[in-house]
Amino acid sequence: MGYDDHEEYLTELQRRLDDLQRRYTFGEAAMRLALEQAELGGREGEVPIGAIIINGRRVIAAAHNLPLSLRDPTAHAEILAIRDAAAHLREYRLVETSIFVTLEPCVMCVGAIVNARIARVYYGARDEKAGALGSLYDIGRDGRLNHRVEVYGGILGAECARLLGDFFESRRHVLNR
């Protein structure tokens, strides 16, 4: 996607966020935008996880999982959104930004969040098997690190968990045929 196309895409996402805020709180609207990203990934056969990054109240990045499509194990929604936000801001530090992600981030993604200096993480569903912001580990709030992250979990958690559950149920159904 060219730079002009990218700016148009961000403008469209911002319009969508503004529209969602007419019906929902800002946090719920932002998570719904992340859910839309996750749904895009699911339709592409990827595990449906979506992320958006907000600077102030402006969308500066959005992504969904792409490790299968890109053949890249690091192509998680959070990593792709962080890369996009850094390019957008022309900064490697994303100070005072917030990331909304449909599933509690894994160790790799929390490491990137900490290194990018993202201030706040809002996630939907807990990840009891690999979550690194309170479920299995709590890296983002580890006082031994030079940056700590504010963490808010459970935003539209049931909807986020349902999307993942439905995806894996459909995969099991296809595999058992």
Side-chain angles (χ1 to χ4, degrees):
M1 176 179 325
Y3 190 73
D4 290 337
D5 292 337
H6 184 69
E7 288 300 315
E8 290 170 19
Y9 182 62
L10 288 178
T11 299
E12 179 56 36
L13 288 173
Q14 187 63 47
R15 273 197 290 268
R16 181 78 180 118
L17 179 63
D18 294 343
D19 181 54
L20 287 167
Q21 286 181 79
R22 291 186 183 99
R23 291 173 287 173
Y24 305 104
T25 66
F26 179 79
E28 290 170 338
M31 189 59 74
R32 288 191 185 285
L33 205 57
L35 270 165
E36 290 175 6
Q37 288 293 311
E39 289 167 354
L40 289 172
R43 284 195 294 272
E44 295 171 11
E46 299 282 355
V47 175
I49 299 170
I52 66 164
I53 297 181
I54 303 285
N55 188 15
R57 287 196 173 276
R58 305 291 306 167
V59 178
I60 61 168
H64 57 273
N65 270 13
L66 286 172
L68 298 173
S69 301
L70 297 178
R71 294 180 174 87
D72 177 356
T74 69
H76 290 197
E78 301 94 321
I79 300 293
L80 297 173
I82 288 168
R83 290 175 183 162
D84 194 26
H88 177 78
L89 293 177
R90 295 185 174 108
E91 293 284 339
Y92 76 106
R93 299 274 196 229
L94 305 178
V95 178
E96 289 309 311
T97 61
S98 300
I99 187 167
F100 288 79
V101 60
T102 56
L103 181 67
E104 180 182 358
C106 69
V107 171
M108 174 184 70
C109 292
V110 173
I113 288 165
V114 168
N115 282 316
R117 304 298 193 264
I118 292 174
R120 290 163 297 280
V121 176
Y122 299 85
Y123 69 84
R126 288 175 57 89
D127 186 350
E128 299 296 334
K129 294 181 181 177
L133 286 177
S135 291
L136 187 59
Y137 302 104
D138 202 358
I139 296 167
R141 293 180 283 211
D142 188 325
R144 295 170 294 181
L145 298 173
N146 62 347
H147 176 69
R148 278 167 285 304
V149 179
E150 292 177 37
V151 178
Y152 305 92
I155 292 93
L156 303 180
E159 289 180 52
C160 294
R162 189 176 319 108
L163 179 63
L164 284 161
D166 290 350
F167 174 81
F168 287 115
E169 180 63 32
S170 71
R171 296 286 298 247
R172 281 190 291 278
H173 179 72
V174 168
L175 293 174
N176 290 331
R177 292 177 102 196

